[in-house]
């Protein structure tokens, strides 16, 4: 995937990057680790911490407790809210021509629908677009653990997907 992404004109990630352990994990996944769009000390970092007050029941968040992780999804970055058991997923873009909040609303609906299956993080609240998160974000449950090891973890992955499918009713569509 990374080579194909670069061939389509996406910029290569910065050199240096995350700590060695996270680079090793990313290499094992075949993914590039992107640095967060906002970094501690940026004015937007302070604004982001302030904007989280009240989202999903959070109290005031000191800026030193809002810590970027070294893992980024295809369309979001993760920030650990230390001491809360929660993570802020900041959307990093939206499809051209789409409503800025549409992707956020879609992602929120996916979390709400999938959570009852017990195999996805719980959504606690949404952060509307603004400073530090121009496309918005979601506050979700922090899941600790490790990256799946393939092929050893395939049975557990299949079981999780089956539970998700049964809970959301998508299994009936294929019956």
């Amino acid at each position: 995937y990374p080579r194909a992404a670069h061939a389509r004109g996406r910029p290569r990630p910065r050199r240096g990057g995350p700590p060695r352990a996270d680079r090793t994990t990313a290499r094992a996944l075949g993914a590039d680790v992107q640095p967060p769009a906002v970094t501690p000390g940026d004015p937007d970092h302070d604004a982001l911490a302030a904007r989280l007050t009240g989202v999903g029941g959070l109290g005031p968040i000191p800026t030193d407790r809002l810590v970027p992780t070294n893992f980024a999804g295809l369309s979001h970055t993760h920030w650990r809210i230390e001491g809360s058991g929660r993570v802020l997923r900041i959307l990093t873009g939206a499809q051209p021509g789409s409503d800025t909040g549409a992707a956020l609303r879609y992602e929120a609906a996916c979390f709400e629908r999938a959570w009852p299956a017990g195999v996805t993080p719980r959504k606690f609240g949404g952060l509307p677009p603004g400073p530090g998160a121009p496309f918005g974000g979601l506050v979700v449950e922090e899941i600790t653990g490790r990256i799946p090891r393939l092929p050893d973890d395939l049975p557990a992955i299949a079981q999780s997907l089956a539970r998700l499918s049964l809970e959301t009713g998508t299994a009936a569509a294929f019956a």
Side-chain angles (χ1 to χ4, degrees):
Y1 169 79
R3 287 187 187 108
H6 299 309
R8 290 192 301 264
R10 291 186 186 163
R12 289 191 177 272
R14 279 189 350 209
R15 291 279 181 203
R20 182 174 175 72
D22 290 332
R23 282 196 304 260
T24 302
T25 302
R27 199 174 303 117
L29 290 173
D32 289 325
V33 176
Q34 303 276 337
V38 177
T39 57
D42 287 352
D44 282 347
H45 179 255
D46 297 339
L48 191 57
R51 291 180 58 220
L52 282 170
T53 300
V55 175
L58 290 170
I61 304 294
T63 56
D64 63 336
R65 286 188 42 212
L66 185 59
V67 181
T69 68
N70 290 317
F71 294 104
L74 294 175
S75 61
H76 58 275
T77 59
H78 296 111
W79 287 73
R80 179 173 289 112
I81 306 168
E82 290 187 340
S84 71
R86 298 174 188 194
V87 172
L88 172 63
R89 293 170 44 103
I90 298 177
L91 292 169
T92 57
Q95 293 190 7
S98 70
D99 171 18
T100 304
L104 182 62
R105 288 189 300 273
Y106 177 78
E107 213 173 274
C110 290
F111 271 96
E112 290 166 3
R113 183 152 185 207
W115 181 72
V119 295
T120 62
R122 178 180 177 194
K123 179 186 82 77
F124 290 105
L127 184 69
F135 298 99
L138 296 177
V139 175
V140 299
E141 176 183 19
E142 181 178 11
I143 303 295
T144 57
R146 61 172 174 77
I147 302 290
R149 293 186 187 116
L150 301 176
D152 297 340
D153 290 335
L154 283 175
I157 293 169
Q159 184 178 31
S160 293
L161 291 172
R163 286 182 62 189
L164 185 60
S165 180
L166 290 171
E167 180 65 37
T168 61
T170 55
F174 297 103

